[in-house]
Amino acid sequence: TAANSSRGVRLSQKKAQNPVAAWGSSSIASHSFRRGEAGLLGDSEDKCLHQSGCRWFSYSRYGERSCPLCEAVFGKQDGVTGCRDWDPAAFCNDIIFKPALERYGGHASEAAFRQAVQMYEASQGSGEVGNPHNKRASCDVWCDYSWPYSCLGQPRTHQEVRGVNYGGRFVPENYLGTPGLDKLFAGILFPKQVGSVVVKDPSLCDVGEASDAMERMTRFLDTNIRQEHFEHMGHLGFNVLRLPVGYWNFAALPGSSAPNGADGSRWRKLQLIMPPLQYAPWVEKVFRWAKLANMSVLLDLHGAPGGQTDNTFTGCDQGRGNFFFDTKWNMKIAVQAVEEMAKVCGMHRESCYGIELLNEPHGEIPRDHLIEGYYLSAIAAARRHLSKDTPLVIMDWTSKLGWWLERRPFSYDEHGRILFSTHLYHMGPEITDQNEARRRFRHEISLINKFHMESIYDVLVTEYAVSGHGPGNPNVDLFDYNSLANWYVHQFNQRGMGSMVWNFDASPSVPSWGPVEQAGRLGSTPARMTWKKIFSGMPLKDDRSQGADAPGAGGQENKRPWGQVVPIDRGSLRRCRVAPLACWLQDHSSFVAATACVFSMTSAAAAVLVAFRGQVFRGHHCNEDDEHGLMGQGH
């Protein structure tokens, strides 16, 4: 492919012979895209996608609907389609979006323009013979929700996950402040120290000590798993719900056995709360209500036997540095849990997205050992009940993705469809500047992008949060959470299969940890959290029709209410340096204009009066020499 591509030339050098010349040379000159001639890089999509480094770019006319703008700008489409070595992001923004917007002359957010951009697609093969799951994306228009509200072209995956975590239910987490936590943990004792390591808070395993443990857990689940939650999520446009569960919700251990851990008796208490079958009614409710809300469910093994990391979400906090999942016995229990999860998933094929095999394994656990000791066995157990095309998800941190990229331990032929997932969090001091909040994640996003572009596996973000930027309280916190979420969602859906926000809900005292249920009360920005608008790709302020029948889509006259707009490049993500004044002026331009008009009229009247007074009462007029003289006297 590289050898064939070297025979290509810059598009800007061939504009005289190419229909692409209609773009305007200014849009091409700054980019050195190399193109292969038809047939050299593959004259069919199937042939192209089996070549390393090649992607198939296409123009899709939906039904009989034509696209006059597309044909006016790109002619017969030969110059923008076929087998290429282009980056899909550069294709959508630099090759399609910019020249099309220059010719269009209107605003990038208008429905007719967006529909034209969406006609263009990019596909990348898996690199595996027999694997039908190619990476496909359509070009789209993304508009920033922060000043200066610039718009860009970007690829957007066809299989987009618009996800939300329904955490804190089967695996309670104290910091979320979920309703009923106080009653669940009331009077519960826990060891303040395990060995020489301090334990700060009680865990679910400590609840098993209570004589009414089952009653407590039943009340807690009834309080927190409610149909209106699913209706709300579905209404906002979420299509996948991630359900964190513990191994104890699915795996029954024989006799008095317990996982290996720092204190085996505490792990045993998890099984004393209630047997696995007793959790089934609530799991069934999740699947049933998710289906009614047009959502699917990703089962996530959040708490593994012995603890896959040193955190309370494992079900039993053993103190910093204590995690014991990496034993044969614990891994065997986890495989049993995964198989039971797969049985449930198989019974709900229409609404089960798949299974995430392990949440946030500690970085010190050797990944080779995880593969040989756990993942291969867990995949085999799950496939006994699930088809090859039901996703099984391997989660790891962005810093580990490069290792998996090189290792490539799973194949579609042997293991079925394997996806990778990762998590992104800001856990340091609060960042209250929008631009800085985004900049902090650019390196991690670049690692996700590298994996997406070069790996045979798809990738998605199964946890990210908008926390860490202020208290989130209305009328107190000025950070624009809505703008950050809009940026996150569309960073992830162009560099993978999408994302899942953490979490659906949280206590009103920590609203940024529950930005879905708390959407209308998070921060002080007028928009608050507009998930439906974010997912639709609509600009923040747009009252115009966004439907398929908008004028201009099929050649009708497009009467644009906005004047000529100059496209803004990728660098225009900077927040107002004099925030919030500049942004306020931007959002209140009508008021500012009216005020300026009144001020101008008043000034004019004052000028006339001064001139009139100057004619009647002639006095001393200061000149430049007089001014210097006064300054010299210290006045």
Side-chain angles (χ1 to χ4, degrees), residues 196-422:
S196 60
V197 182
V198 174
V199 177
K200 295 181 179 180
D201 298 300
S203 300
L204 185 61
C205 61
D206 301 308
V207 174
E209 183 84 15
S211 59
D212 61 345
M214 181 181 292
E215 181 183 342
R216 290 176 183 234
M217 195 66 198
T218 297
R219 182 174 58 239
F220 181 76
L221 292 174
D222 281 340
T223 300
N224 289 287
I225 298 178
R226 308 180 68 86
Q227 186 171 4
E228 56 263 32
H229 294 169
F230 296 82
E231 293 171 348
H232 186 52
M233 290 182 276
H235 173 72
L236 293 178
F238 291 95
N239 63 358
V240 179
L241 177 144
R242 181 173 179 256
L243 184 66
V245 296
Y247 75 90
W248 58 91
N249 300 134
F250 293 90
L253 301 187
S256 60
S257 59
N260 303 135
D263 185 349
S265 63
R266 288 182 76 209
W267 287 98
R268 175 65 186 167
K269 291 172 186 175
L270 278 171
Q271 295 144 232
L272 298 179
I273 296 175
M274 63 173 77
L277 284 177
Q278 295 294 106
Y279 292 99
W282 290 282
V283 175
E284 288 297 312
K285 287 180 181 180
V286 169
F287 276 97
R288 183 169 71 252
W289 290 338
K291 184 178 180 180
L292 290 174
N294 295 314
M295 302 173 69
S296 56
V297 177
L298 173 66
L299 290 173
D300 157 50
L301 186 58
H302 214 69
Q308 74 276 22
T309 189
D310 49 357
N311 196 299
T312 187
F313 66 64
T314 61
C316 204
D317 183 7
Q318 303 167 97
R320 190 171 182 82
N322 284 335
F323 48 92
F324 300 91
F325 177 68
D326 193 22
T327 70
K328 288 184 179 181
W329 172 238
N330 285 343
M331 290 182 177
K332 183 179 180 179
I333 299 171
V335 170
Q336 179 188 344
V338 167
E339 181 159 13
E340 295 302 318
M341 292 164 69
K343 290 178 182 178
V344 173
C345 186
M347 290 189 295
H348 297 277
R349 294 183 189 278
E350 293 182 3
S351 56
C352 184
Y353 184 87
I355 299 174
E356 194 167 38
L357 300 176
L358 189 64
N359 177 68
E360 298 184 0
H362 198 282
E364 292 183 11
I365 300 177
R367 271 28 183 185
D368 274 322
H369 189 47
L370 275 179
I371 294 171
E372 298 298 328
Y374 173 60
Y375 284 133
L376 291 177
S377 298
I379 291 170
R383 290 294 175 215
R384 285 195 283 270
H385 309 279
L386 300 175
S387 71
K388 290 181 68 172
D389 296 311
T390 300
L392 298 179
V393 185
I394 308 290
M395 183 275 156
D396 218 331
W397 300 103
T398 55
S399 59
K400 299 286 188 181
L401 290 179
W403 185 89
W404 292 101
L405 177 63
E406 296 296 327
R407 188 74 166 76
R408 293 178 53 170
F410 312 111
S411 68
Y412 178 79
D413 183 55
E414 290 185 58
H415 309 103
R417 191 178 190 194
I418 302 296
L419 308 182
F420 275 77
S421 69
T422 192

Side-chain angles (χ1 to χ4, degrees), residues 429-445:
E430 287 184 352
I431 299 175
T432 57
D433 178 75
Q434 181 77 211
N435 192 54
E436 178 62 16
R438 300 179 186 189
R439 189 192 67 79
R440 289 293 179 96
F441 284 106
R442 290 198 181 277
H443 174 64
E444 290 184 90
I445 289 174

Side-chain angles (χ1 to χ4, degrees), residues 479-495:
F479 187 80
D480 194 340
Y481 294 91
N482 193 50
S483 182
L484 183 62
N486 179 49
W487 183 78
Y488 275 143
V489 166
H490 294 284
Q491 288 294 309
F492 301 145
N493 67 20
Q494 66 174 304
R495 296 179 171 87

